[in-house]
Amino acid sequence: MFSLHGKVAIVTGANTGLGQGMCAALAQAGADIAGVGRSDMSETGAIVEAAGARFLPIKADLLTLEPIDRIIAEAVDAFGKIDILVNNAGIIRREDAIDYSVQDWDDVMNTNIRTLFFLSQAAAKQFMKQGSGGKIINVASMLSYQGGIRVPAYTASKSAVMGVTKAMANEWAKYGINVNAIAPGYMVTNNTERLRQDPKRYGEILDRIPAGRWGEPSDMGGCAVFLASDAAAYVHGVTIPVDGGWQAR
């Protein structure tokens, strides 16, 4: 039920962090991976291949919509089909709301929600063409639920991710396409490096996590495999927190 053997997954933001962790888990479950990233993905490729799966690196900057058709085409050309899309790529810009710039707002919104939606649309069209359904997994955030501090565009984009996950699920479930999301809690990634370097904020966050630690990229793996597998065939439009109990506190 949880096997992904014979499946092909596109994972954005695959070069490091949560994306790399999910590539590893999906590969261990049997899926071949088309990894999308702006920088070198050789480390992720080695991890995937060590798990016995194939890896295709696709260089792309998801700040614009330009690479979308090419990403789908390259994955299909290499593997013959796609079965899973993981929309993990995202950026964050930290600044007081009173001083937040238009450029930072546009960059965050374009990457985190605009490209996510239209890449999902392109994948859904490919799934419908193949006629065998598919899985779309979006990466949301704790800030899909909360306001946050000094990250207004990130909060807006991740709230939108949770909403559009429901909207796409409503329309595409009838085609056998499951659209769901994972909301990671506070994770040790590049995006949180500046936050973790602030002793006051780091301590405040850690004190509220019942698990007593920040999450690691590997903590995303089980949920990603579940949502990508037949075990989640009747799961549509949900956002699952993977947060060490942060929301339960």
Side-chain angles (χ1 to χ4, degrees):
M1 183 178 288
F2 293 94
S3 172
L4 299 179
H5 285 283
K7 302 293 185 181
V8 175
I10 296 175
V11 181
T12 68
N15 54 305
T16 188
L18 303 185
Q20 187 178 83
M22 288 186 286
C23 283
L26 295 171
Q28 289 163 9
D32 293 319
I33 309 293
V36 180
R38 291 182 298 180
S39 57
D40 179 66
M41 289 174 280
S42 57
E43 183 178 80
T44 303
I47 292 169
V48 167
E49 289 168 0
R54 294 177 293 171
F55 184 77
L56 171 72
I58 302 176
K59 196 79 172 287
D61 185 348
L62 298 179
L63 187 63
T64 74
L65 303 181
E66 182 275 330
I68 286 177
D69 290 341
R70 176 173 60 84
I71 290 168
I72 301 296
E74 288 190 22
V76 172
D77 286 348
F79 298 120
K81 62 169 184 169
I82 56 172
D83 303 288
I84 302 153
L85 169 65
V86 180
N87 283 306
N88 167 70
I91 62 172
I92 192 166
R93 303 278 171 82
R94 298 182 185 278
E95 182 57 84
D96 292 345
I98 198 70
D99 296 319
Y100 213 82
S101 71
V102 172
Q103 188 64 60
D104 282 349
W105 180 273
D106 288 347
D107 287 351
V108 172
M109 296 298 284
N110 285 343
T111 303
N112 292 7
I113 186 61
R114 186 169 183 255
T115 296
L116 176 147
F117 173 76
F118 286 104
L119 183 54
S120 297
Q121 182 189 74
K125 289 178 179 178
Q126 179 63 31
F127 294 153
M128 292 175 193
K129 180 180 176 182
Q130 294 169 183
S132 55
K135 310 284 188 179
I136 297 175
I137 303 167
N138 299 320
V139 175
S141 169
M142 288 297 98
L143 296 183
S144 300
Y145 306 93
Q146 300 163 340
I149 299 170
R150 304 187 76 241
V151 287
Y154 189 82
T155 298
S157 69
K158 292 301 185 177
S159 296
V161 168
M162 186 161 67
V164 82
T165 294
K166 297 174 185 178
M168 292 188 291
N170 287 342
E171 295 193 35
W172 298 342
K174 64 187 176 184
Y175 300 106
I177 299 171
N178 299 76
V179 187
N180 295 291
I182 304 172
Y186 286 89
M187 298 280 181
V188 179
T189 66
N190 294 341
N191 272 351
T192 64
E193 184 174 359
R194 285 177 60 189
L195 188 60
R196 287 182 283 113
Q197 289 174 347
D198 181 335
K200 182 174 182 294
R201 289 288 292 130
Y202 179 83
E204 290 171 348
I205 291 165
L206 185 61
D207 285 346
R208 186 180 155 171
I209 302 173
R213 64 176 178 87
W214 282 51
E216 298 288 343
S218 59
D219 290 315
M220 295 281 285
C223 194
V225 169
F226 165 64
L227 291 176
S229 74
D230 289 343
Y234 200 56
V235 179
H236 294 275
V238 303
T239 298
I240 301 176
V242 178
D243 64 355
W246 169 273
Q247 285 202 87
R249 187 66 176 264

